[in-house]
Amino acid sequence: MKYLDIESFRTLNSRLSFPTSSGDRHVVGRIEAYSCKVAGTDKKLYRYLENKYQEDLEEAKTLSPEQSSLTNIVSPFGPLTQPASRRTLFYLIATLNATFPDYDFSSLTADQFTKDSSADESIKSINTTLLNVGCPATLRTSRMWDIIDDAIKLDDCEVYSYTPEAESDPYDEEAPVWSFNYFFFNKSLRRIVFFTCRCVSNLDELESLSDQELVFGDLQDESVETELYPTSQHALRGMMTIGGGLKF
């Protein structure tokens, strides 16, 4: 996966670090874009996943249909017997490996991902989560979804989320109150925008966060004018669902 350096994302990321309205927690998020261009390490990962699938397939032949995981699993990508479905799983795992280089996600399985019914559903969920913890005005006026739409064309995306188990959670050591991981995948553009965020409850653990993640953490100026309204239909629908005061 090739990391895409998008300047407007850097600005958004600086605003995705902020204290919650309660003051005893801190939210840290980031948005990154990747091209689905397979590099050297990605090729090794793809071969590994394909070999693992073939091994599982051979093992499944010795089992009854009720015992076979390949027939029982409802893949969010479609039937795993289809190469396109397995390739989507590969793209998401490769994105996680690129985003969290200190972790190896090659053992993840399809059932650890879910597919949202639409980009709107994902946007509403993210907006609600950030609003409920008191996102600052600097973020509310940032036209976040317009910026993301410019990079990925949300109407053309499939959206997946990843809910990690403890042993595969890159945030496990921080013991977050909550976290989310969304993949906005545009097949025609061969591009993924990854939106990850967590809320840390123990303020002592903020020492483990990088200076870049915390640089705007103290900006929560509610006096900032909220004149910059979003133009994308996704952002507008998100506002109508949550309430007219949300201007992401």
Side-chain angles (χ1 to χ4, degrees), residues 44 57 59 85 102 112 117 133 137 146 189 204 212 239 244:
K44 292 181 181 179
L57 192 61
E59 181 181 352
S85 300
D102 295 333
Q112 291 177 268
S117 61
V133 294
D146 287 341
L189 292 179
D204 292 337
Q212 184 178 3
M239 286 172 58

Side-chain angles (χ1 to χ4, degrees), residues 24 26 174 200-209 214:
D24 60 345
H26 202 95
E174 296 177 16
V200 182
S201 61
N202 187 347
L203 294 181
D204 292 337
E205 294 188 16
L206 292 178
E207 296 176 1
S208 66
L209 303 179
L214 291 173

Side-chain angles (χ1 to χ4, degrees), residues 85-198:
S85 300
R86 301 196 302 274
R87 183 170 287 272
T88 299
L89 173 61
F90 155 71
Y91 284 143
L92 302 193
I93 292 176
T95 298
L96 287 170
N97 280 345
T99 305
F100 304 101
D102 295 333
Y103 292 82
D104 179 11
F105 296 91
S106 59
S107 63
L108 296 186
T109 56
D111 60 340
Q112 291 177 268
F113 298 88
T114 57
K115 182 179 181 180
D116 282 5
S117 61
S118 67
D120 279 347
E121 176 185 324
S122 309
I123 290 168
K124 292 169 186 175
S125 177
I126 292 171
N127 282 356
T128 301
T129 299
L130 295 178
L131 182 65
N132 285 344
V133 294
C135 63
T138 51
L139 179 59
R140 295 201 306 271
T141 61
S142 64
R143 294 178 178 264
M144 181 174 71
W145 292 111
D146 287 341
I147 293 171
I148 294 174
D149 186 56
D150 287 342
I152 199 68
K153 305 302 177 189
L154 290 165
D155 279 332
D156 301 325
C157 285
E158 295 178 350
V159 186
Y160 300 94
S161 60
Y162 166 56
T163 304
E165 298 175 353
E167 62 272 15
S168 59
D169 186 356
Y171 301 135
D172 184 56
E173 292 184 1
E174 296 177 16
V177 178
W178 54 258
S179 65
F180 63 69
N181 303 279
Y182 284 93
F183 305 81
F184 295 85
F185 179 30
N186 188 316
K187 288 185 177 180
S188 61
L189 292 179
R190 292 177 57 81
R191 180 178 294 186
I192 289 176
V193 165
F194 181 54
F195 193 156
T196 181
C197 192
R198 78 271 196 194

Side-chain angles (χ1 to χ4, degrees), residues 42-76:
D42 296 326
K43 291 179 181 178
K44 292 181 181 179
L45 173 63
Y46 184 73
R47 286 195 296 269
Y48 168 80
L49 293 176
E50 282 295 289
N51 289 338
K52 185 175 183 299
Y53 170 75
Q54 293 301 327
E55 291 173 1
D56 291 344
L57 192 61
E58 289 300 318
E59 181 181 352
K61 291 179 181 179
T62 67
L63 304 174
S64 66
E66 292 77 15
Q67 293 174 309
S68 173
S69 61
L70 293 180
T71 58
N72 283 336
I73 286 180
V74 179
S75 164

